[in-house]
Structures are given as C-alpha cells and as structure tokens.
C-alpha cells in the first residue's frame, strides 16, 4: 500500500485518505468521516465546526490528556471542569447537571482508557438543555455503548491515530466522525485553511491534513482492529480473574452496557508509587495516566470555571497505575505481572 502512495506521489489527502474516511465512517456508523492531522485537531475543528467559540462554556473532565481541554481554549471558549466517578474514572453525569449555566454550549465526554462514559445520562442532559456533545474517542476506537459505536452518539466523535492508540499510525493523525452534514462540511473546509478550494477562502481555518502515507498504513492496520481489541480484552479478563480480591487493590470498572477496549488497564492503590517502583525493578513498564489533573496545571490557571470539588480526580491522580496491555501479550507475560503485583501487595 505504501508502494502505491509512492508511485502516485499524491502525498497529502490522496486516494487512500478518502478510502480510510469511507471505511471508518462505515465502521463507526456515522455518515461522514474527515481525516485531519491529529486527535487534537479533530477536537479543535469539531468544536469550531459546531459553532463553539467566544463566550461559550464547555463542560469536561480534568482527568484526561491536556488536548481535551486546551482545544476548548484554542476555540475561544472556557473549559468548565467537573469531577469524575470514582470507579469508572469518567465524568460524573450528576455533576454535569449542576455545572450548566446560561453560557454552557457543549459537553466533551472522554471515554477514558477505552471505557464508554454513561452516554444515556449524558445525552439526556444534553437534550434537556440543548447542549452539543462532542465525544473524545482518542482512547476508545472500536468501543461501544450498547449497540452504538463510540463516536457515533454525540454530534461528533474525535479520534486520534497517535502511534500508541488502539488504532495508531506511524506519526500523527486524527479523524472527525459525524452524521451532521453542516459539521462535516465545515470540518472539511477548516482543515484546509477554511476554503472550499485554494483560492476561495471563506473563513479562518487551519492546515490540518492527513498524509496519504499515514492513511495507507491505517487502512492496513484497520483490518485487524477488532481482533486486536479482542486481544486486549483477553488480557484484561486474565488480570480481572487473577487480581480480584486483593486487599487495597481496585480493578477497572466493568459496565455490562459498555464494550471496553482497554486502551489502558488501570488499577488503583494507595501504595501506587511503591508498586510502580517495584514493577520497574522487576522489568515491568507500568505507567501513570494522569499524574496531574488539568485544573492543577498552569495553562488552565484563571481561564477555567471550577464550580465544585474535583477530589475524585485529585485522588485518582495519586492512586492510578496502568499495567502493560497489548493485543499480542502472552499468557506468561500477563501472569508475570500478576505474580509481581501479588508478591508486593501480599
Ligand atoms: C491522545 C489523546 C488526544 C490527542 O490526540 P493527538 O493525536 O495526540 O493529538 C486527545 N484526547 C485524549 C483523551 C487522548 O488520549
């Protein structure tokens, strides 16, 4: 596939980009998919295309990657952080309701670690207050809420193809999926300077196009995504079975309505830092996502509205640890991690 791209020399927004957009729109079951340069740009362009801008408030979680909320600022709007649920690490719908003001325009639920937010509650709140929902699906490609694919429930779903994501390319890449023709047309224009064509530019836009080479790589990998997500779920089931019932250790939430795709398998313990070091000594790479909630980072100082306690997010930042989880991780590899955790916590 890469050879084709080299032969055709159409390196930006070429044929493979179109093919990828068609394949992903159909997989996610949205009408339109527009490829952009990163997951960050997917969020920024979707916000702008949905009409979010100056004077608007956007409700989201502080327990996420910075891009979820810096794009709200970049769009000219104000992030409003509300706390997460202790067990799912996802935004707490009850708290969303309390944070809504006359200025609230949108909600960005983040399907953190590959686990769907409670989309029934979130969509109900959004309908009642005529709010836009833009899903941050960067960590949950292939995940579902009931029968619905994540990214097809809100007005738009924003995906990242950063190499470490469940579906990743060999560089930066992203995608906006939507069933709204106006949003689709606007993202399509915004990714190329805001013009219908090069010399008829209507609005201020960006340069945010996907390379054809990245699209070719993604098309090849996309064929395996369901199998790879299943592989992650098998590793997660083994962790669930082997690590349950250990004192002081909490395992990821299981929601029967959510098809979890385990971008991360994240446990929590009050002895997180010690366990992190212990695993490192045993040659196991565990990670902390995220050590600092967004409201505690300088970039958001004085530019966000915080209406209530964010204690669950702050506690999570001190207690979470993501264990190795790869589609092709072997039983022995997983059992070694299990053994080392048990050895430490016993
Ligand atoms: C990775 C990620 C992004 C940003 O994607 P990039 O492709 O790195 O720009 C946004 N939100 C979340 C939750 C992510 O994990």
């Amino acid at each position: 596939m890469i050879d084709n791209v080299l032969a055709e020399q159409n390196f930006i927004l070429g044929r493979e980009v179109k093919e990828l957009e068609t394949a992903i729109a159909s997989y996610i079951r949205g009408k339109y998919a527009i490829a952009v340069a990163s997951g960050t740009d997917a969020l920024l362009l979707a916000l702008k295309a949905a009409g979010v801008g100056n004077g608007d408030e956007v409700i989201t979680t502080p327990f996420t990657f910075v891009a979820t909320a810096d794009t709200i600022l970049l769009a000219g709007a104000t992030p409003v952080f509300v706390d997460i649920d202790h067990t799912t690490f996802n935004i707490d719908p009850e708290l969303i309701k309390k944070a809504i003001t006359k200025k609230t325009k949108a909600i960005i639920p983040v399907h953190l670690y590959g686990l769907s937010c409670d989309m029934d509650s979130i969509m109900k709140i959004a309908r009642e207050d005529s709010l836009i929902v833009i899903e941050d699906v960067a960590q949950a490609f292939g995940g579902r809420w009931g029968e619905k694919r994540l990214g097809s429930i809100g007005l738009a779903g924003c995906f990242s193809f950063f190499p470490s994501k469940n579906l990743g390319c060999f560089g930066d890449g992203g995608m906006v999926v939507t069933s709204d023709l106006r949003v689709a047309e606007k993202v399509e224009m915004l990714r190329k300077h805001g013009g219908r064509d090069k010399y008829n530019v209507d609005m201020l836009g960006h340069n945010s196009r996907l390379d054809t080479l990245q699209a070719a790589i993604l098309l090849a990998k996309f064929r395996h995504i369901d199998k790879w997500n299943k592989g992650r779920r098998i590793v997660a089931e083994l962790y669930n079975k082997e690590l349950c019932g250990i004192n002081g250790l909490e395992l990821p939430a299981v929601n029967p309505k959510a098809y979890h795709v385990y971008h991360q398998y994240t446990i929590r313990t009050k002895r997180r830092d010690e366990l992190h070091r212990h695993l490192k000594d045993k040659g196991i790479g565990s990670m902390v996502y995220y050590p600092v909630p967004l409201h505690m980072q300088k970039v958001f100082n004085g530019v966000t509205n915080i209406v209530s306690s964010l204690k669950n997010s702050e506690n999570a930042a001190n207690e979470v640890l993501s264990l190795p989880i790869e589609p092709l991780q072997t039983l022995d590899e997983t059992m070694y991690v299990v053994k080392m955790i048990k050895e430490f916590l016993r």
Side-chain angles (χ1 to χ4, degrees), residues 119-188:
M119 291 309 289
D120 293 342
S121 303
I122 292 172
M123 294 311 291
K124 183 164 174 281
I125 294 164
R127 268 193 304 275
E128 284 165 4
D129 283 86
S130 307
L131 305 178
I132 290 161
V133 173
I134 293 183
E135 297 174 72
D136 183 337
V137 210
Q139 301 189 4
F141 193 100
R144 293 196 298 267
W145 176 249
E147 289 302 304
K148 291 196 171 127
R149 293 251 191 238
L150 301 181
S152 70
I153 303 168
L155 178 66
C158 301
F159 295 85
S160 163
F161 303 129
F162 185 82
S164 67
K165 306 288 159 111
N166 288 34
L167 178 63
C169 56
F170 293 175
D172 274 312
M175 182 89 67
V176 178
V177 173
T178 181
S179 289
D180 185 294
L181 176 63
R182 280 180 40 216
V183 170
E185 283 180 343
K186 213 155 169 199
V187 171
E188 156 84 40

Side-chain angles (χ1 to χ4, degrees), residues 37-41 43 64-65 67-68 110 112 136 138-139 159-162 165 172-174 263 290:
S38 68
T40 304
D41 277 1
L43 286 161
T64 178
F65 182 60
T68 306
V110 180
L112 200 73
D136 183 337
Q139 301 189 4
F159 295 85
S160 163
F161 303 129
F162 185 82
K165 306 288 159 111
D172 274 312
H263 175 59
Y290 293 90

